[in-house]
């Protein structure tokens, strides 16, 4: 079943420069997709469109069969529960003046999700491998990897069906990175995951499918293993050639 | 920010020292100001003793050239200074924070227009604006001075708010708040204001001092209210002719002004450091 369908979407921040050019892409329910491309290729921009933060200039995005329309308040409320995001920079993604508990509870409060919020926050903390009782502390009391876990807890607390991770492990050191990738791999069993990364090694370890973006165009897409074993597009070939073999081995070992 | 995450005990002690010094200085002025509503040593407008008497048990700070008790006038000055400072900062903060947030959220051309307007307004000296407004109103009225100062300060507050809010708006936690379903007013209330507040409040304290000094300058220039509502600036002005024979009339208002301005700034610094979670020890 298709959860998200991106259909011939184009977008530019200004009228004279296209950032995304005729992008089409399907995300099946439960799938894990790696979105790979150079810096500036439009990965974050595509995520912003998928989150309904910006509208495409042309083309359409549907979520669960319904058009993703940022102006439709009723739709957006149910949509926000179902699509969540984790960012690259663990230092910018948590409000320094809020306790961990109120950071993670924000989606529960704002989306008026019923239930015992304190318990839901505790469960989310546990699910990302943190103690239940860290909720009273502030972000500056945690390491980068722990902060990323907190950001993931906030993303999963409303029970999303789609998790977008924008280079969520790029800012972390190697061992922490592997732990967070493991965590995401576990989560991906219960939700669709769109995982943005420059790191093809991590994508190979985590994602069933891969989408290669070059200058706002999807140049190649398919099964991760077969695309990596037999890249068709010259851009993919160049991208693979520039990856040191080392990182592939490290992550899969 | 990075050094603040590891607040050492010594650093903490310094913070609480600052806070206490501020509390004592400001508390003293507030206590005196409140006292003036119920009790004054003498009638501030009446001759209470001889002219230009030195300090004595009856007149702790002596008397002025009309024989009025100086301590009485100084006490009323505390009340006036606090009203001026609080009033001007409240007006400046209300207008300035609103405009600054609007500019931060506005479309590019509106933001540019607002920013340019603010820069022009700020280029005019606060005192000059206040002088024009007060001179234009026919009676030397404390409230016209407060409103004029408040408006002048609002431009500075607006510019600062705009810059601070823009810096917060690009943070990922704002995007996260949006994808969490929080509305913009809610984002302003729970993310933007708390994050710009520490810097703003320290700036408000600075503005408080500026407002009190500006009002004193207005009064010194003869644009202030006469006794019984005289400010320290007015006391200073009245004392300037006799500064060699009775120097206390000039020294006392100066000390009072400086102690209040410094006290408010210490208090704001201390409060920020105590309240701010990122500056607290682990
Ligand atoms: N708010 C914006 N206004 C104007 N241009 C923007 C904006 N955000 C991004 N761009 C431009 O859009 C292009 C794509 O940016 P985007 O952030 O989507 O790239 P990316 O693939 O996520 O890159 P990175 O790997 O560095 O994160 C870049 O050329 C960037 O300069
Ligand atoms: Mg990006």
């Amino acid at each position: 079943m298709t959860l998200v369908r991106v259909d011939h979407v184009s977008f530019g921040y200004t009228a004279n420069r296209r950032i995304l050019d005729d992008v089409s892409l399907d995300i099946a329910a439960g799938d894990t997709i790696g979105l790979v491309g150079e810096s500036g290729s439009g990965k974050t921009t595509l995520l912003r469109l998928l989150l309904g933060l910006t509208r495409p200039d042309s083309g359409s995005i549907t979520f669960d069969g319904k058009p993703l329309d940022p102006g439709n308040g009723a739709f957006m409320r149910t949509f926000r529960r179902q699509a969540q995001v984790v960012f690259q920079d663990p230092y910018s993604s948590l409000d320094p003046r809020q306790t961990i508990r109120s950071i993670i509870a924000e989606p529960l409060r704002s989306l008026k999700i019923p239930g015992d919020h304190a318990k839901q926050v505790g469960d989310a903390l546990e699910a990302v491998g943190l103690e239940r009782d860290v909720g009273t502390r502030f972000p500056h009391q945690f390491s980068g990897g722990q902060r990323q876990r907190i950001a993931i807890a906030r993303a999963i607390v409303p029970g999303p069906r789609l998790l977008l991770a924008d280079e969520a492990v790029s800012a972390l050191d190697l061992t922490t990175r592997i732990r967070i990738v493991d965590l995401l791999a576990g989560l991906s069993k219960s939700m669709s995951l769109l995982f943005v990364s420059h790191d093809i090694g991590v994508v190979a370890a985590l994602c069933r499918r891969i989408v290669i973006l070059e200058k706002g165009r999807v140049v190649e897409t398919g099964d991760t293993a077969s695309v990596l074993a037999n890249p068709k597009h010259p851009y993919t070939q160049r991208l693979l050639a520039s990856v040191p073999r080392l990182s592939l081995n490290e992550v899969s070992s | 920010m990075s050094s603040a995450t590891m607040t050492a005990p010594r650093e903490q002690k310094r913070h609480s020292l600052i806070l206490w010094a501020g509390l004592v200085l400001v508390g003293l002025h507030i206590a005196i100001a409140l006292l003036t509503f119920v009790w004054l040593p003498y009638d501030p407008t009446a001759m209470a003793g001889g002219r230009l008497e030195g300090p004595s048990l009856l007149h702790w700070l002596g008397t002025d050239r009309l024989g009025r008790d100086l301590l009485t006038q100084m006490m009323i000055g505390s009340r006036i200074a606090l009203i001026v400072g609080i009033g001007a900062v409240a007006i400046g903060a209300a207008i300035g924070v609103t405009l600054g947030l609007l500019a931060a959220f506005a479309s590019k051309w509106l933001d540019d227009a607002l920013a340019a307007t603010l820069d022009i307004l700020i280029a005019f000296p606060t005192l000059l604006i206040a002088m024009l407004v007060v001179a234009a109103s026919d009676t030397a009225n404390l409230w016209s001075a407060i409103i004029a100062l408040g408006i002048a300060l609002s431009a500075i507050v607006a510019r600062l708010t705009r810059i601070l809010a823009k810096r917060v708006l690009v943070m990922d936690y704002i995007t996260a708040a949006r994808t969490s379903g929080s509305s913009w007013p809610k984002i302003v209330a729970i993310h933007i204001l708390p994050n710009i507040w520490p810097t703003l409040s320290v700036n408000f304290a600075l503005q408080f001092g500026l407002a009190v000094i500006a009002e004193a300058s207005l009064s010194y220039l003869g644009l202030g209210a006469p006794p019984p509502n005289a400010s320290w600036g007015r006391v200073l002005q009245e004392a300037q002719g006799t500064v060699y024979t009775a120097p206390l009339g000039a020294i006392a208002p100066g000390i009072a002004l400086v102690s209040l301005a410094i006290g408010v700034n210490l208090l704001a610094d201390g409060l920020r450091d105590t309240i701010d979670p990122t500056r607290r020890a682990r």
Side-chain angles (χ1 to χ4, degrees):
Chain A
M1 197 198 82
T2 305
L3 181 62
V4 180
R5 168 157 292 162
V6 178
D7 201 19
H8 299 289
V9 159
S10 296
F11 174 81
Y13 290 99
T14 51
N16 46 22
R17 189 162 155 249
R18 274 203 170 173
I19 303 298
L20 294 175
D21 191 6
D22 198 24
V23 170
S24 293
L25 165 79
D26 277 6
I27 305 176
D31 210 355
T32 45
I33 300 180
L35 179 60
V36 179
E38 277 174 354
S39 183
S41 56
K43 306 181 295 293
T44 300
T45 305
L46 180 56
L47 291 201
R48 292 182 60 82
L49 293 172
L50 286 173
L51 286 164
L53 296 170
T54 323
R55 291 168 200 266
D57 295 336
S58 63
S60 67
I61 302 176
T62 55
F63 185 87
D64 208 12
K66 297 177 205 71
L68 174 50
D69 173 12
N72 181 345
F75 170 80
M76 287 313 280
R77 265 188 298 282
T78 48
F79 171 73
R80 294 260 174 255
R81 273 186 83 147
Q82 303 187 48
Q84 286 290 324
V85 60
V86 179
F87 302 99
Q88 170 173 11
D89 179 4
Y91 291 86
S92 148
S93 64
L94 308 178
D95 186 337
R97 263 159 250 283
Q98 298 224 331
T99 59
I100 302 311
R101 185 192 295 141
S102 76
I103 287 171
I104 298 177
E106 183 165 0
L108 299 176
R109 277 184 273 119
S110 290
L111 296 166
K112 301 195 173 64
I113 294 173
D116 178 356
H117 289 179
K119 180 178 178 302
Q120 286 164 286
V121 169
D123 291 348
L125 280 169
E126 221 158 59
V128 298
L130 291 170
E131 302 284 328
R132 293 187 84 94
D133 61 9
V134 300
T136 53
R137 290 157 72 182
F138 288 91
H140 73 272
Q141 296 166 302
F142 294 88
S143 68
Q146 290 173 319
R147 286 175 192 228
Q148 211 56 326
R149 287 175 193 272
I150 294 164
I152 293 171
R154 169 178 58 197
I156 63 173
V157 79
R161 294 162 74 194
L162 172 65
L163 185 62
L164 307 173
D166 192 355
E167 318 219 21
V169 300
S170 310
L172 307 173
D173 64 75
L174 195 65
T175 38
T176 317
R177 185 181 303 188
I178 293 170
R179 292 210 185 99
I180 299 289
V181 168
D182 277 347
L183 171 61
L184 290 171
L187 293 173
S188 70
K189 294 193 175 72
S190 52
M191 60 190 83
S192 305
L193 176 66
L194 180 64
F195 183 83
V196 172
S197 183
H198 314 273
D199 189 339
I200 298 210
V202 173
V203 171
L206 186 63
C207 303
R208 198 184 63 80
R209 284 207 317 139
I210 191 167
V211 173
I212 314 272
L213 201 63
E214 187 207 11
K215 297 197 181 102
R217 289 167 181 271
V218 174
V219 293
E220 189 155 1
T221 169
D223 230 48
T224 309
S226 49
V227 169
L228 295 188
N230 186 15
K232 298 259 177 349
H233 195 275
Y235 177 73
T236 319
Q237 291 165 357
R238 263 185 285 128
L239 209 61
L240 283 178
S242 66
V243 177
R245 294 289 322 157
L246 185 69
S247 70
L248 273 169
N249 298 337
E250 263 170 355
V251 175
S252 45
S253 65
Chain B
M1 220 28 116
S2 56
S3 69
T5 55
M6 287 186 290
T7 317
R10 238 178 85 197
E11 186 85 339
Q12 278 239 302
K13 209 167 159 195
R14 198 179 64 85
H15 286 166
S16 60
L17 209 70
I18 286 176
L19 180 64
W20 276 108
L23 276 175
V24 167
L25 282 174
V26 175
L28 199 66
H29 281 285
I30 291 176
I32 292 172
L34 291 177
L35 184 64
T36 62
F37 287 109
V38 291
W39 180 80
L40 280 168
Y42 295 94
D43 177 349
T45 53
M47 261 187 82
R51 290 162 192 245
L52 296 175
E53 278 180 21
S56 66
L57 275 178
L58 281 177
H59 303 285
W60 291 5
L61 293 178
T63 58
D64 72 2
R65 63 192 165 85
L66 297 175
R68 296 174 299 201
D69 181 56
L70 189 57
L71 180 65
T72 306
Q73 296 185 50
M74 289 302 300
M75 288 171 67
I76 290 175
S78 279
R79 183 215 294 172
I80 304 286
L82 284 169
I83 292 174
V84 167
I86 293 169
V89 168
I91 293 170
I95 301 175
V97 170
T98 311
L99 274 182
L101 286 174
L102 279 178
F105 277 102
S107 60
K108 178 137 177 33
W109 72 264
L110 183 60
D111 177 37
D112 288 346
L114 274 167
T117 315
L118 292 177
D119 283 341
I120 293 170
L121 273 177
I122 290 166
F124 285 105
T126 309
L127 191 57
L128 202 65
I129 299 178
M131 272 173 70
L132 286 173
V133 173
V134 175
S137 59
D138 37 66
T139 52
N141 179 333
L142 191 63
W143 286 105
S144 53
I146 290 175
I147 291 168
L149 290 171
I151 290 171
L153 297 184
S154 72
I156 302 172
V157 175
R159 186 167 69 169
L160 182 65
T161 304
R162 171 179 169 272
I163 295 169
L164 293 173
K166 285 196 148 195
R167 213 180 283 161
V168 172
L169 271 171
V170 299
M171 301 303 269
D172 287 337
Y173 59 78
I174 300 295
T175 312
R178 289 181 65 195
T179 62
S180 298
S182 300
S183 61
W184 279 119
K186 198 165 174 186
I187 290 174
V188 168
I190 69 176
H191 295 296
I192 298 180
L193 285 177
N195 275 288
I196 67 176
W197 187 252
T199 314
L200 273 186
S201 65
V202 171
N203 188 258
F204 290 161
L206 214 63
Q207 311 284 0
F208 181 102
L210 287 179
V212 172
I213 291 169
E215 195 286 327
S217 313
L218 283 178
S219 289
Y220 181 76
L221 295 170
L223 292 167
N229 287 316
S231 73
W232 292 326
R234 173 86 182 210
V235 175
L236 193 63
Q237 186 216 8
E238 301 224 353
Q240 78 175 331
T242 56
V243 67
Y244 293 111
T245 44
L248 257 184
I251 294 170
I255 291 177
L257 255 174
V258 169
S259 69
L260 180 59
I262 290 180
V264 169
N265 279 287
L266 291 177
L267 184 63
D269 270 357
L271 279 180
R272 178 196 58 187
D273 293 344
T274 332
I275 292 169
D276 187 347
T278 65
R279 283 168 191 265
R280 271 199 304 243
R282 272 153 205 270

Coordinates of all heavy atoms in Angstrom, one line a residue, chain A residues 11-14 17-20 35-48 88 166-167 196-198 213 216, ligand 1:
Chain A
F11 N 9.6 22.6 -7.4 CA 9.6 23.7 -6.4 C 10.8 24.5 -6.5 O 11.9 24.1 -6.8 CB 9.5 23.0 -5.0 CG 9.6 24.0 -3.9 CD1 8.5 24.8 -3.5 CD2 10.9 24.3 -3.3 CE1 8.6 25.7 -2.5 CE2 11.0 25.2 -2.3 CZ 9.8 25.9 -1.9
G12 N 10.7 25.9 -6.2 CA 11.8 26.8 -6.1 C 11.5 27.8 -5.0 O 10.4 28.2 -4.9
Y13 N 12.6 28.2 -4.3 CA 12.3 29.2 -3.3 C 12.1 30.6 -3.9 O 11.4 31.4 -3.4 CB 13.5 29.3 -2.3 CG 13.6 28.1 -1.4 CD1 14.5 27.0 -1.7 CD2 12.9 28.0 -0.3 CE1 14.6 25.9 -0.9 CE2 12.9 26.9 0.6 CZ 13.8 25.8 0.3 OH 13.9 24.7 1.1
T14 N 12.8 30.7 -5.1 CA 12.6 31.9 -5.8 C 12.1 31.5 -7.2 O 12.3 30.4 -7.6 CB 13.9 32.8 -6.0 OG1 14.9 31.9 -6.4 CG2 14.3 33.3 -4.7
R17 N 14.8 30.0 -9.8 CA 15.7 28.9 -9.6 C 14.9 27.7 -9.1 O 14.3 27.8 -8.0 CB 16.8 29.3 -8.7 CG 17.9 28.2 -8.6 CD 19.2 28.8 -8.0 NE 19.9 27.7 -7.4 CZ 20.1 27.5 -6.1 NH1 19.6 28.4 -5.2 NH2 20.7 26.4 -5.6
R18 N 14.9 26.6 -9.9 CA 14.2 25.4 -9.4 C 15.1 24.6 -8.5 O 16.2 24.3 -8.9 CB 13.9 24.6 -10.7 CG 12.6 25.0 -11.3 CD 12.0 23.8 -12.1 NE 10.6 24.2 -12.4 CZ 9.9 23.5 -13.3 NH1 10.4 22.4 -13.8 NH2 8.7 23.9 -13.5
I19 N 14.6 24.3 -7.4 CA 15.4 23.4 -6.4 C 15.0 21.9 -6.6 O 15.8 21.0 -6.6 CB 15.1 23.8 -5.0 CG1 15.5 25.3 -4.8 CG2 15.9 23.0 -4.0 CD1 16.9 25.7 -5.1
L20 N 13.7 21.7 -6.8 CA 13.2 20.3 -7.1 C 12.6 20.4 -8.5 O 11.8 21.3 -8.8 CB 12.2 19.9 -6.1 CG 12.7 19.7 -4.7 CD1 11.6 19.3 -3.8 CD2 13.8 18.6 -4.7
L35 N 17.4 8.4 1.0 CA 17.4 9.5 0.0 C 18.8 10.1 0.0 O 19.3 10.6 1.0 CB 16.4 10.6 0.4 CG 16.3 11.8 -0.5 CD1 15.9 11.5 -1.9 CD2 15.3 12.8 0.1
V36 N 19.5 9.9 -1.1 CA 20.9 10.2 -1.2 C 21.2 11.3 -2.2 O 20.5 11.2 -3.3 CB 21.8 8.9 -1.5 CG1 23.2 9.3 -1.6 CG2 21.5 7.9 -0.5
G37 N 22.0 12.2 -1.9 CA 22.4 13.2 -2.9 C 23.4 14.2 -2.3 O 23.5 14.3 -1.1
E38 N 24.1 14.9 -3.2 CA 25.1 15.8 -2.7 C 24.4 16.9 -1.9 O 23.2 17.2 -2.0 CB 25.8 16.5 -3.9 CG 26.9 15.6 -4.4 CD 27.5 16.2 -5.7 OE1 26.9 17.2 -6.2 OE2 28.5 15.7 -6.2
S39 N 25.3 17.7 -1.2 CA 24.8 18.9 -0.5 C 24.2 19.8 -1.5 O 24.8 20.1 -2.6 CB 26.0 19.5 0.2 OG 25.6 20.6 0.9
G40 N 23.1 20.3 -1.2 CA 22.4 21.3 -2.1 C 21.5 20.6 -3.2 O 20.9 21.3 -4.0
S41 N 21.4 19.3 -3.2 CA 20.6 18.6 -4.2 C 19.1 18.7 -3.9 O 18.3 18.4 -4.8 CB 21.1 17.2 -4.3 OG 20.9 16.5 -3.1
G42 N 18.7 19.2 -2.8 CA 17.3 19.5 -2.5 C 16.7 18.5 -1.6 O 15.4 18.4 -1.5
K43 N 17.5 17.7 -0.8 CA 16.9 16.7 0.1 C 16.1 17.3 1.2 O 14.9 16.9 1.4 CB 18.1 15.8 0.7 CG 19.0 15.2 -0.3 CD 20.1 14.4 0.3 CE 21.1 15.2 1.2 NZ 21.9 16.2 0.4
T44 N 16.6 18.3 1.9 CA 15.9 18.9 2.9 C 14.6 19.6 2.4 O 13.6 19.6 3.0 CB 16.8 19.9 3.7 OG1 17.9 19.2 4.2 CG2 16.0 20.7 4.8
T45 N 14.8 20.2 1.2 CA 13.6 20.9 0.6 C 12.5 19.9 0.3 O 11.3 20.2 0.6 CB 14.1 21.5 -0.7 OG1 15.2 22.4 -0.4 CG2 12.9 22.3 -1.3
L46 N 12.9 18.7 -0.2 CA 11.9 17.7 -0.4 C 11.2 17.3 0.9 O 9.9 17.1 0.9 CB 12.5 16.5 -1.1 CG 11.6 15.3 -1.4 CD1 10.4 15.7 -2.3 CD2 12.4 14.2 -2.1
L47 N 11.9 17.2 2.0 CA 11.3 16.8 3.3 C 10.4 17.9 3.7 O 9.3 17.6 4.3 CB 12.4 16.6 4.3 CG 13.3 15.4 4.3 CD1 13.9 15.1 5.6 CD2 12.6 14.2 3.7
R48 N 10.7 19.2 3.5 CA 9.8 20.3 3.9 C 8.5 20.2 3.2 O 7.4 20.4 3.7 CB 10.5 21.6 3.6 CG 11.7 21.9 4.5 CD 12.3 23.3 4.2 NE 11.3 24.3 4.5 CZ 11.0 24.8 5.7 NH1 11.7 24.4 6.7 NH2 10.1 25.8 5.9
Q88 N 19.2 17.0 11.6 CA 20.6 16.7 11.7 C 21.3 17.2 13.0 O 22.0 16.4 13.6 CB 21.3 17.3 10.5 CG 22.8 17.2 10.6 CD 23.5 17.7 9.3 OE1 22.9 18.3 8.4 NE2 24.8 17.4 9.2
D166 N 16.3 13.6 8.6 CA 17.2 14.4 7.7 C 18.6 14.4 8.3 O 19.0 15.2 9.1 CB 16.6 15.9 7.7 CG 17.3 16.7 6.6 OD1 18.2 16.2 6.0 OD2 16.9 17.8 6.4
E167 N 19.4 13.5 7.7 CA 20.8 13.4 8.1 C 20.9 13.3 9.7 O 21.7 13.9 10.3 CB 21.6 14.6 7.7 CG 21.3 15.0 6.3 CD 22.5 15.4 5.5 OE1 23.6 15.0 5.9 OE2 22.3 16.1 4.5
V196 N 17.4 10.4 5.0 CA 18.3 11.3 4.2 C 19.7 11.1 4.7 O 20.0 11.2 5.9 CB 17.9 12.7 4.3 CG1 18.9 13.6 3.6 CG2 16.5 12.9 3.7
S197 N 20.6 10.9 3.8 CA 22.0 10.8 4.2 C 23.0 11.0 3.0 O 22.6 10.7 1.9 CB 22.3 9.4 4.8 OG 23.6 9.3 5.3
H198 N 24.2 11.5 3.3 CA 25.2 11.4 2.3 C 25.9 10.1 2.4 O 26.7 9.7 1.6 CB 26.4 12.4 2.5 CG 26.0 13.8 2.9 ND1 25.8 14.7 1.9 CD2 25.9 14.4 4.0 CE1 25.5 15.9 2.5 NE2 25.6 15.7 3.8
L213 N 19.2 11.6 -5.7 CA 18.7 12.9 -6.1 C 20.0 13.7 -6.6 O 21.0 13.7 -5.9 CB 18.1 13.6 -4.9 CG 17.2 14.8 -5.1 CD1 15.9 14.4 -5.9 CD2 16.8 15.4 -3.8
G216 N 18.1 18.3 -7.8 CA 16.7 18.4 -7.7 C 15.9 17.4 -8.6 O 14.7 17.5 -8.7
Ligands
LIG1 N1 15.1 29.0 2.6 C1 15.7 29.0 1.5 N2 15.7 30.0 0.6 C2 16.3 30.0 -0.6 N3 17.1 29.0 -1.0 C3 17.2 27.9 -0.2 C4 16.5 27.8 1.1 N4 16.8 26.7 1.6 C5 17.6 26.0 0.7 N5 17.8 26.8 -0.4 C6 18.6 26.3 -1.5 O1 18.0 25.2 -2.0 C7 19.0 24.3 -2.5 C8 18.7 22.9 -1.9 O2 18.9 23.0 -0.5 P1 18.6 21.8 0.5 O3 18.7 22.3 1.9 O4 17.3 21.2 0.1 O5 19.7 20.8 0.1 P2 20.2 19.5 0.8 O6 20.2 18.4 -0.2 O7 19.4 19.2 2.0 O8 21.7 19.8 1.2 P3 22.5 19.4 2.5 O9 23.0 18.0 2.2 O10 23.6 20.3 2.5 O11 21.6 19.5 3.7 C9 20.3 24.8 -2.1 O12 20.9 25.4 -3.2 C10 20.0 26.0 -1.1 O13 20.9 27.0 -1.3

